[in-house]
Amino acid sequence: MKNIISLLFITLLVFSCDSSKDKKEEVADKTEKKDLEVPAFSGGNAYQYVETQVNFGPRVPNTSAHAETEEYIIQQLESFGAKVQTQKFESDTYDGEVWNLTNIIASIQPEKKKRILLAAHWDTRKIADKDTERKDEPIDGANDGASGVGVILEVINAIQKAGSKPNVGIDIIFFDGEDNGEPQGLSGRDPSKTWWCLGSQYWSKNKHIPGYSAYYGILLDMVGGVNAQFHKEGYSMKYAPTIVEKVWNTADRIGYGRYFINNRVGLITDDHYFVNEFAKIPMIDIIAHEPTSGDFFPDFHHTHKDNMEIISQETLKAVGQTLLQVIYEEK
Ligand code: AHN
Ligand code: ZN
């Protein structure tokens, strides 16, 4: 009898606790949803920003297409009301050239203390070393280069047009000189140096504002390919695992789980590595991955296949809408 009474008591207790918790969560959910008006990301706009870059021609440093694209990106950012500055520097290359490079840096909501840093590279590769044809000709870089810039431009456009603003400020860095390291199997003049990611290496050691930091950063690289898959990359998981989980969970919750795969993969030396290591800002990389290919990059990578034909508005939207959701959910 005593047992039955205590069982009854425990059952009642459990039930009453549960229902009050449910109610509280319901109320919290409702108020959150009421306050949270996340603007819609336009895949069509992002696609246009990608196409415009590609139409200038390959954005290889020291070319007129590169200079014209710089002007275009600055003008787009300014048309959205962002504050823009450039960081100019010289860098030598693995094959003995000297390049004039420009990191393009912008911000919105500068009054906000808590800041999120969005980044992508805007230059493109001067050779198609993984192609079987025209290996010595530059690639369009529709995905490898233009897609990340296109998504970030539309994220800024959507926020600036929206009636409701996020609680955080956004900084943007478009890194130059990411994609012109030595071809696979060849080592650069100085093998101890990384000849890739020149813009992020420079910025991480020469920040545009001394002591600049951000709550966290998100790097986009090859985020526009049809049926893209983004896996949890090694350095992102090493330096910023909670940000990876937040972004992947958010994508899944809003219906983009088929792009953001719950699978941990190896280390990729991309711009985020230098931002983590030298700038000490936790930054993740959303980068297209193909687990079954030899080097884990999709088949367009560093070939002439990387043109507008592989760019998908749906993929651009999956990434951009996820970014907006993450940004607007920040307290
Ligand atoms: C290397 O292949 C050395 N790094 C990958 C980063 C990359 C290249 N992103 C675009 N192209
Ligand atoms: Zn590349």
Side-chain angles (χ1 to χ4, degrees):
M1 188 59 185
K2 212 169 140 199
N3 270 349
I4 292 177
I5 290 175
S6 55
L7 193 69
L8 204 70
F9 185 70
I10 289 168
T11 312
L12 271 173
L13 203 72
V14 167
F15 265 97
S16 62
C17 280
D18 248 354
S19 72
S20 74
K21 192 172 146 239
D22 273 0
K23 257 184 211 137
K24 259 190 221 150
E25 273 174 10
E26 227 174 72
V27 171
D29 260 6
K30 272 196 186 135
T31 46
E32 239 176 51
K33 280 204 184 100
K34 224 173 110 201
D35 293 339
L36 208 61
E37 281 175 45
V38 182
F41 180 95
S42 162
N45 284 351
Y47 186 93
Q48 278 181 19
Y49 304 140
V50 174
E51 193 169 42
T52 305
Q53 293 171 75
V54 170
N55 285 344
F56 285 116
R59 279 78 68 213
V60 175
N62 292 5
T63 67
S64 57
H66 185 264
E68 283 164 29
T69 305
E70 175 185 333
E71 225 172 275
Y72 163 71
I73 293 171
I74 292 170
Q75 176 217 308
Q76 280 302 309
L77 287 165
E78 284 178 344
S79 79
F80 303 146
K83 232 187 106 215
V84 189
Q85 70 189 93
T86 55
Q87 183 179 51
K88 305 234 172 227
F89 57 101
E90 274 187 359
S91 189
D92 29 291
T93 67
Y94 74 90
D95 52 354
E97 288 184 44
V98 178
W99 273 349
N100 299 304
L101 301 176
T102 305
N103 290 329
I104 303 167
I105 304 167
S107 63
I108 59 168
Q109 310 217 96
E111 72 286 357
K112 300 279 187 196
K113 266 245 153 70
K114 186 171 176 180
R115 312 203 58 79
I116 293 176
L117 174 59
L118 303 179
H121 74 91
W122 71 274
D123 64 303
T124 55
R125 190 159 179 77
K126 71 172 183 178
I127 48 173
D129 46 318
K130 286 166 71 177
D131 210 320
T132 52
E133 284 163 31
R134 296 190 290 126
K135 279 169 162 292
D136 55 348
E137 288 178 30
I139 60 168
D140 281 0
N143 206 2
D144 194 356
S147 68
V149 174
V151 168
I152 292 174
L153 287 178
E154 178 54 13
V155 165
I156 301 304
N157 178 40
I159 294 173
Q160 296 293 79
K161 276 199 322 216
S164 124
K165 303 294 178 199
N167 298 318
V168 291
I170 309 288
D171 298 311
I172 301 122
I173 308 184
F174 293 133
F175 291 119
D176 202 354
E178 188 274 346
D179 218 352
N180 280 290
E182 62 277 21
Q184 256 164 8
L186 246 162
S187 67
R189 285 180 299 127
D190 178 352
S192 72
K193 264 196 180 175
T194 304
W195 297 101
W196 304 79
C197 303
L198 300 174
S200 54
Q201 293 193 64
Y202 184 84
W203 179 82
S204 295
K205 291 169 185 166
N206 305 274
K207 292 177 180 174
H208 62 299
I209 300 167
Y212 170 85
S213 195
Y215 183 45
Y216 61 81
I218 301 178
L219 175 69
L220 305 184
D221 196 356
M222 305 188 271
V223 290
V226 62
N227 297 325
Q229 286 191 7
F230 309 112
H231 295 245
K232 299 175 176 177
E233 180 274 333
Y235 285 122
S236 308
M237 289 302 283
K238 176 181 172 192
Y239 292 106
T242 58
I243 310 307
V244 173
E245 297 306 338
K246 182 184 348 215
V247 170
W248 262 248
N249 289 338
T250 304
D252 189 46
R253 176 155 46 80
I254 66 172
Y256 296 119
R258 85 177 174 90
Y259 295 95
F260 288 80
I261 313 298
N262 183 18
N263 175 41
R264 207 185 151 143
V265 295
L267 305 162
I268 298 175
T269 305
D270 204 348
D271 291 320
H272 71 314
Y273 169 76
F274 299 95
V275 172
N276 277 299
E277 193 60 26
F278 298 108
K280 306 287 181 202
I281 298 170
M283 179 180 258
I284 68 162
D285 192 8
I286 301 178
I287 181 167
H289 207 87
E290 179 47 64
T292 60
S293 86
D295 64 357
F296 301 114
F297 289 115
D299 66 346
F300 65 80
H301 189 242
H302 296 177
T303 73
H304 295 294
K305 223 185 138 186
D306 186 355
N307 60 39
M308 284 312 289
E309 280 172 40
I310 62 158
I311 299 299
S312 150
Q313 289 193 26
E314 287 72 29
T315 306
L316 296 167
K317 170 141 179 120
V319 176
Q321 196 66 62
T322 298
L323 287 186
L324 283 170
Q325 188 75 32
V326 167
I327 288 166
Y328 273 75
E329 283 181 10
E330 290 298 344
K331 299 280 193 305

